[in-house]
Amino acid sequence: MKGVYLVTDRELCGNRGVAAVVAAAARAGACCVQLREKTASTRRFIETAAHILTLLAPYRIPLIINDRIEVAQAVGAHGVHVGQRDMAPETARRLLGPDAIIGLSVETWEDVDAAQQLEVDYLGISPVYATPTKTDTKAPWGLEGVTRIKDFTRHPLVGIGGLDASNAAAVIRAGADCIAVVSAICAASDPFTATIRLKETIENAHLERGF
Amino acid sequence: MKGVYLVTDRELCGNRGVAAVVAAAARAGACCVQLREKTASTRRFIETAAHILTLLAPYRIPLIINDRIEVAQAVGAHGVHVGQRDMAPETARRLLGPDAIIGLSVETWEDVDAAQQLEVDYLGISPVYATPTKTDTKAPWGLEGVTRIKDFTRHPLVGIGGLDASNAAAVIRAGADCIAVVSAICAASDPFTATIRLKETIENAHLERGF
């Protein structure tokens, strides 16, 4: 998994709706979409997830559900992303099976260390920079943190938090495989062009890093 | 399922904690416990559920999880209770299998009618009376509503909403099999005695009804 990883935010998507923003990012070549719903009812979350799963299918882009394992199960999404206050990744693995994508947010070095023993598919370095989108996080990792994790962990890395086209390249050069963004796409006036721009920036940085 | 069905409320349980209130109700002979957490993180919800499941085991009292199917799966709870804005009962049945207890809240006659086709284990008549504990409900069913549902449905009935020892007997006589309470136990100064009193009231009303 390399490139642009979209994390949705219903409020930031505004009147155009989450599905329209996801569709634009998919057309523009996002590598992954994480549906994150913190206030929707379970039924609405499931309905939205089912709709977006159908929408992503032709692009073969995986749909990851934030936190809610049962929503992923209900619609047959490709995986889940869990934070340190969500279901333990071992339990998520047991419920979802070996083929599911399971991502885990790491906020402290203890989290990174513990993750070496876990069957997760990537670590979300959270947050790389401070962000107004998510306020319940710990101190930002910064570029040094990304490199320190890269040198230690066996897992692929997704940077998240305060990332956009202006700083994505540096985070890739520091060791991230993938750049997750919320507002850089959800709040963009043109999510399609915003995704294209991010994707190009990330691809160029990967080429500079030498793979 | 007949008798006192405790639905938990973390706030109303206060400093003594949800587990202490559940333990008291279990000792007093509650027939069922539904763990309802609307603000806890998924991890905390799972931890609480696991603890309460262990606590209930010696009494053989089933633990039902409100809304969150994945929490029930994670701990191996006996079932789930879903409302009309939660996961569809058919999906919950598919995920939990034939042996799980699945309860469904009915708020309108359309809900009651649709439930005839559903493999649910009971209907929660919600609310029987207006209640400050849950404010997103429709018009109260009242005793006439309970009887109307009893005469129509093939499912066992659990009354909920504004119920306590003063009105539980009337709801049983109207046709309910079980009385679900939140504040009548969670906010009681002595949850054990409150449960005993409710249980006796309900048992006497069942005897009057003739079974």
Side-chain angles (χ1 to χ4, degrees):
Chain A
M1 198 158 63
K2 273 178 197 173
V4 184
Y5 181 132
L6 169 63
V7 180
T8 66
D9 182 303
R10 184 174 290 275
E11 237 174 86
L12 291 178
C13 290
N15 286 336
R16 55 195 168 188
V18 173
V21 171
V22 168
R27 278 190 294 118
C31 71
C32 188
V33 172
Q34 180 188 135
L35 185 63
R36 188 168 179 270
E37 295 278 357
K38 286 300 184 188
T39 55
S41 69
T42 301
R43 187 157 300 187
R44 190 183 188 188
F45 197 166
I46 290 171
E47 284 165 357
T48 307
H51 179 197
I52 289 177
L53 190 65
T54 308
L55 184 160
L56 290 176
Y59 302 95
R60 298 175 177 275
I61 299 171
L63 176 63
I64 306 293
I65 302 294
N66 181 281
D67 179 13
R68 302 289 296 272
I69 277 74
E70 90 280 35
V71 173
Q73 292 178 303
V75 304
H78 302 84
V80 295
H81 183 91
V82 291
Q84 298 289 330
R85 285 164 291 281
D86 299 336
M87 184 184 285
E90 308 91 303
T91 314
R93 177 64 70 200
R94 173 165 63 78
L95 295 180
L96 293 173
D99 297 335
I101 299 171
I102 297 182
L104 172 70
S105 292
V106 290
E107 297 178 12
T108 66
W109 190 256
E110 288 66 39
D111 298 345
V112 175
D113 194 30
Q116 290 290 84
Q117 313 303 326
L118 298 171
E119 292 310 315
V120 296
D121 296 280
Y122 68 85
L123 302 183
I125 305 182
S126 172
V128 176
Y129 298 120
T131 164
T133 315
K134 200 159 184 295
T135 51
D136 60 343
T137 52
K138 306 235 161 117
W141 286 99
L143 295 177
E144 279 178 39
V146 174
T147 302
R148 194 179 162 214
I149 298 173
K150 179 68 181 174
D151 290 345
F152 173 82
T153 190
R154 64 189 182 93
H155 299 299
L157 299 178
V158 177
I160 187 165
L163 304 185
D164 55 31
S166 76
N167 55 19
V171 178
I172 294 294
R173 286 193 299 259
D177 301 287
C178 202
I179 298 294
V181 297
V182 186
S183 49
I185 293 177
C186 293
S189 57
D190 180 350
F192 176 80
T193 309
T195 307
I196 292 273
R197 206 175 144 215
L198 263 162
K199 191 172 178 251
E200 286 173 355
T201 305
I202 293 165
E203 280 170 2
N204 288 334
H206 272 302
L207 287 172
E208 284 176 50
R209 221 174 84 183
F211 63 104
Chain B
M1 198 160 62
K2 272 179 197 175
V4 183
Y5 180 133
L6 169 63
V7 180
T8 66
D9 182 305
R10 185 174 290 275
E11 238 174 87
L12 291 177
C13 290
N15 286 336
R16 55 195 169 188
V18 173
V21 171
V22 169
R27 277 190 294 118
C31 71
C32 188
V33 172
Q34 179 188 136
L35 184 62
R36 187 169 180 269
E37 293 279 358
K38 285 301 186 190
T39 56
S41 70
T42 301
R43 188 157 300 185
R44 190 182 187 187
F45 197 166
I46 290 172
E47 284 165 359
T48 307
H51 179 198
I52 289 178
L53 190 64
T54 308
L55 185 159
L56 291 176
Y59 302 96
R60 298 175 178 272
I61 299 171
L63 175 64
I64 305 293
I65 303 294
N66 181 280
D67 178 11
R68 302 289 296 272
I69 277 72
E70 89 281 35
V71 173
Q73 290 179 303
V75 304
H78 303 83
V80 295
H81 183 91
V82 291
Q84 298 290 329
R85 283 163 294 278
D86 299 336
M87 186 185 284
E90 308 92 302
T91 314
R93 177 63 71 199
R94 174 165 61 81
L95 296 181
L96 294 173
D99 296 335
I101 300 171
I102 297 181
L104 173 70
S105 291
V106 290
E107 298 178 12
T108 66
W109 189 257
E110 289 66 40
D111 299 343
V112 176
D113 194 28
Q116 291 289 84
Q117 313 301 326
L118 298 172
E119 292 310 316
V120 296
D121 295 280
Y122 69 85
L123 302 184
I125 305 182
S126 171
V128 175
Y129 298 121
T131 163
T133 315
K134 202 161 183 290
T135 52
D136 61 341
T137 51
K138 306 235 160 116
W141 287 100
L143 295 177
E144 280 179 39
V146 174
T147 302
R148 193 179 162 214
I149 297 173
K150 180 68 183 174
D151 290 344
F152 173 83
T153 191
R154 64 189 182 91
H155 299 298
L157 299 178
V158 177
I160 187 166
L163 304 184
D164 56 31
S166 76
N167 55 20
V171 178
I172 294 293
R173 286 193 298 261
D177 301 287
C178 201
I179 298 293
V181 298
V182 186
S183 48
I185 293 177
C186 293
S189 57
D190 181 349
F192 175 81
T193 310
T195 307
I196 293 273
R197 204 172 147 218
L198 263 163
K199 190 170 179 254
E200 286 173 356
T201 306
I202 293 166
E203 279 170 2
N204 288 334
H206 272 303
L207 288 172
E208 283 177 49
R209 221 174 83 182
F211 63 106

